Amino acid sequence: MKKILLVFITIILIFSSCKKDNVEFIFDKQPEARVKEKLDLLQNSLLSSPYGWKAALNTKVEGGYGFYIDFKKDQTLKMLSDFSSTSSNTLKESTYRVTWTMDAVLMFDTYNYLTLLQDPTPSVNGGTAGNGLQSDIEFEFLSASVDTLKLKGKRYAQMLTLVKLKENEQKSYLDGEYKTSINNVRAYFASHSNNYIEIGGTNNKVEFVLTNTKGCVFQYVSNEGDVQSVSGKFNYELNGINFNEPINVGQEIFARGELVDGEFYLINDKNTRFKLNQNSVPILPIETLFAYNKTYNTLHIGLSQPNGVTSDFNSIYTIVKNAYAALNPGRHILQFYFRLSSSTKAEVAVQSQVTPNGTTYAAGIATYDYKLDEKGVITLSNPIYDGNWTARITQLGPIRDYFLSGPFKLTYVTSSDPSVSNLGGLQPLNTPNNVFYGALRKQ
């Protein structure tokens, strides 16, 4: 009995020694205190920039997006975005919350330009039904430094980066200069083709390309002869672009790009500037870029052939154009193209336009089977001509005969006109001076 009593007393003493007030906490604070401290840190950090923040966020489906955000103490905010021309120049007011969900979280809880990215309706943002561009509205707080906050999306794990603005930068955003800056960058790349930089570690030029979905590509031929391609995402910011996730190319890590006095510079993580230059033709061999599923799949001629190119094909084009105009008074050839439409099918299409009302008609389409080898040689076979082509065979006959004269070698084409660039061509192996050519496109 005494032994039982002794065991009972011992158990009571053990439990009484474990009262909450005597527990030694691993983090030296009770959990509630640590939660409050982390929430306060996030809230105070958001309010620590008197002139707002520039923000960057990548999406899973497309590229990156940039924002101006000004957080207020009453949990409201004002925002601009590079999502569209309107959003870059029209302040959007909404609300936010700082809450705890396994960690301190910033939540955008009413509709704004950032939540628009995850809108499930494809017509709103061009994303997928139900998921939008696969972007978050809740972000876990990771770190705070003197001028930068880092957060991570809770579902798609994309980084949201906030950088403090200076007073003059905030003024630029609010005065409409964000929209102007975006337009200037777009205009630069619309008028500058085959952009490249030169970096240490490789003997060859490194081509830099911005895509229509706010992605970017660095591509080059390595010293060993292999084609290297590094992709990333960008967003617009004042006077340039930003890589929210820096891009490692050879020995360099690129963080952003800047447009200054009409020149564009890529800037690495050490703030070294690399000026963009332009080449007369694309940097990579054409066979690495031209295929149904690559950068280009079409050779396109618009209202007239590009100026400044010497080719025997010029006379064929002129004969067909004049013959068609004589057959159809009031019409003229609008466009003419060669396209790889799939992995096995190619087509040659001629379209016409009625003057003056501008109505477009198909003048004829020819479809071919094709093979494309690793050296860029295309062999066409088994042509099929639609009814329009057959009805105009007298006028389109020279074009028909030309594309039966292959095989053809893919080639770049240069022009004596400095305003004409980015041309590709099909060079018949047996008549190399008779090159069909047009603007390199993806369509």
Side-chain angles (χ1 to χ4, degrees):
M1 186 68 180
K2 288 182 179 179
K3 288 183 179 181
I4 294 174
L5 181 60
L6 181 59
V7 170
F8 182 71
I9 292 172
T10 301
I11 292 172
I12 291 175
L13 289 173
I14 291 173
F15 275 99
S16 64
S17 67
C18 294
K19 290 194 302 181
K20 182 177 180 181
D21 291 343
N22 294 329
V23 172
E24 291 189 14
F25 295 102
I26 296 175
F27 298 101
D28 298 326
K29 293 182 182 178
Q30 294 184 2
E32 312 91 86
R34 287 190 288 109
V35 167
K36 183 179 184 305
E37 186 177 85
K38 191 77 175 285
L39 290 173
D40 288 345
L41 175 60
L42 175 54
Q43 180 67 61
N44 293 334
S45 296
L46 294 172
L47 300 176
S48 68
S49 180
Y51 306 114
W53 306 82
K54 65 176 180 181
L57 173 66
N58 290 351
T59 65
K60 293 283 278 189
V61 171
E62 269 196 7
Y65 289 86
F67 305 88
Y68 159 82
I69 308 178
D70 190 9
F71 296 95
K72 299 300 182 183
K73 190 174 182 178
D74 63 357
Q75 295 195 323
T76 63
L77 62 85
K78 293 181 180 180
M79 177 184 292
L80 296 171
S81 170
D82 66 353
F83 178 82
S84 68
S85 179
T86 299
S87 67
S88 65
N89 197 37
T90 306
L91 279 171
K92 180 76 171 178
E93 297 190 33
S94 64
T95 60
Y96 72 96
R97 276 191 289 155
V98 170
T99 185
W100 187 269
T101 310
M102 303 297 292
D103 206 336
V105 169
L106 168 62
M107 178 187 298
F108 296 91
D109 58 353
T110 54
Y111 203 80
N112 57 38
Y113 297 136
L114 190 146
T115 61
L116 177 151
L117 302 180
Q118 58 95 60
D119 193 297
T121 306
S123 61
V124 172
N125 53 32
T128 59
N131 295 303
L133 296 177
Q134 296 185 19
S135 186
D136 284 293
I137 61 173
E138 297 184 30
F139 298 88
E140 181 179 311
F141 179 39
L142 298 182
S143 66
S145 64
V146 174
D147 64 354
T148 302
L149 301 182
K150 292 281 189 180
L151 303 99
K152 183 173 72 173
K154 288 184 65 63
R155 181 177 181 185
Y156 296 109
Q158 298 297 294
M159 296 297 298
L160 173 63
T161 306
L162 302 172
V163 178
K164 286 182 180 179
L165 293 173
K166 299 175 182 177
E167 184 176 10
N168 65 309
E169 292 174 322
Q170 182 188 52
K171 186 176 186 303
S172 294
Y173 275 105
L174 299 179
D175 287 349
E177 292 185 29
Y178 192 29
K179 178 179 179 179
T180 300
S181 176
I182 293 169
N183 290 339
N184 288 342
V185 172
R186 287 175 174 168
Y188 176 91
F189 283 96
S191 60
H192 292 72
S193 301
N194 308 320
N195 300 293
Y196 72 91
I197 57 173
E198 294 180 295
I199 63 175
T202 178
N203 299 327
N204 299 310
K205 299 171 181 176
V206 178
E207 187 169 27
F208 178 69
V209 180
L210 294 186
T211 72
N212 293 330
T213 54
K214 300 180 79 175
C216 60
V217 182
F218 293 82
Q219 49 194 14
Y220 60 99
V221 178
S222 71
N223 296 342
E224 292 73 34
D226 300 323
V227 175
Q228 301 292 321
S229 181
V230 182
S231 299
K233 299 177 180 181
F234 77 93
N235 60 272
Y236 293 102
E237 58 182 24
L238 290 175
N239 303 318
I241 61 175
N242 170 67
F243 306 132
N244 192 32
E245 295 182 7
I247 303 170
N248 194 336
V249 183
Q251 299 176 353
E252 305 295 342
I253 299 175
F254 289 98
R256 58 193 178 92
E258 189 174 28
L259 184 62
V260 181
D261 296 329
E263 300 289 354
F264 199 90
Y265 301 86
L266 294 173
I267 304 169
N268 70 6
D269 57 342
K270 299 179 179 63
N271 214 33
T272 303
R273 302 161 75 83
F274 297 77
K275 181 179 176 293
L276 277 191
N277 298 294
Q278 288 73 45
N279 212 44
S280 59
V281 296
I283 305 302
L284 294 186
I286 192 170
E287 56 268 24
T288 69
L289 298 176
F290 195 94
Y292 82 98
N293 59 349
K294 291 187 178 180
T295 305
Y296 307 111
N297 71 341
T298 301
L299 301 175
H300 181 275
I301 301 173
L303 289 172
S304 61
Q305 280 188 286
N307 294 327
V309 179
T310 300
S311 170
D312 292 345
F313 183 80
N314 291 344
S315 61
I316 296 175
Y317 179 84
T318 300
I319 290 170
V320 171
K321 185 175 182 179
N322 291 341
Y324 190 83
L327 175 68
N328 296 281
R331 293 190 184 185
H332 61 274
I333 290 180
L334 171 66
Q335 63 176 345
F336 178 23
Y337 64 80
F338 171 83
R339 178 169 68 131
L340 301 182
S341 54
S342 74
S343 61
T344 59
K345 297 292 183 182
E347 64 183 26
V348 173
V350 181
Q351 290 185 319
S352 64
Q353 187 178 67
V354 175
T355 305
N357 65 14
T359 304
T360 300
Y361 296 88
I365 298 177
T367 305
Y368 306 83
D369 296 332
Y370 79 90
K371 291 183 179 179
L372 173 60
D373 68 21
E374 67 278 1
K375 295 182 179 180
V377 175
I378 294 178
T379 303
L380 302 176
S381 61
N382 303 322
I384 299 174
Y385 305 100
D386 73 353
N388 288 334
W389 189 294
T390 302
R392 298 171 178 83
I393 192 60
T394 301
Q395 291 73 35
L396 299 181
I399 300 296
R400 175 202 59 190
D401 296 341
Y402 179 85
F403 283 97
L404 294 175
S405 69
F408 304 90
K409 176 73 170 70
L410 284 169
T411 183
Y412 289 126
V413 176
T414 58
S415 168
S416 61
D417 185 340
S419 68
V420 177
S421 63
N422 216 41
L423 298 178
L426 297 177
Q427 184 177 51
L429 297 185
N430 58 349
T431 55
N433 294 325
N434 195 14
V435 179
F436 168 79
Y437 60 94
L440 286 162
R441 284 191 177 182
K442 180 73 173 181
Q443 66 181 55

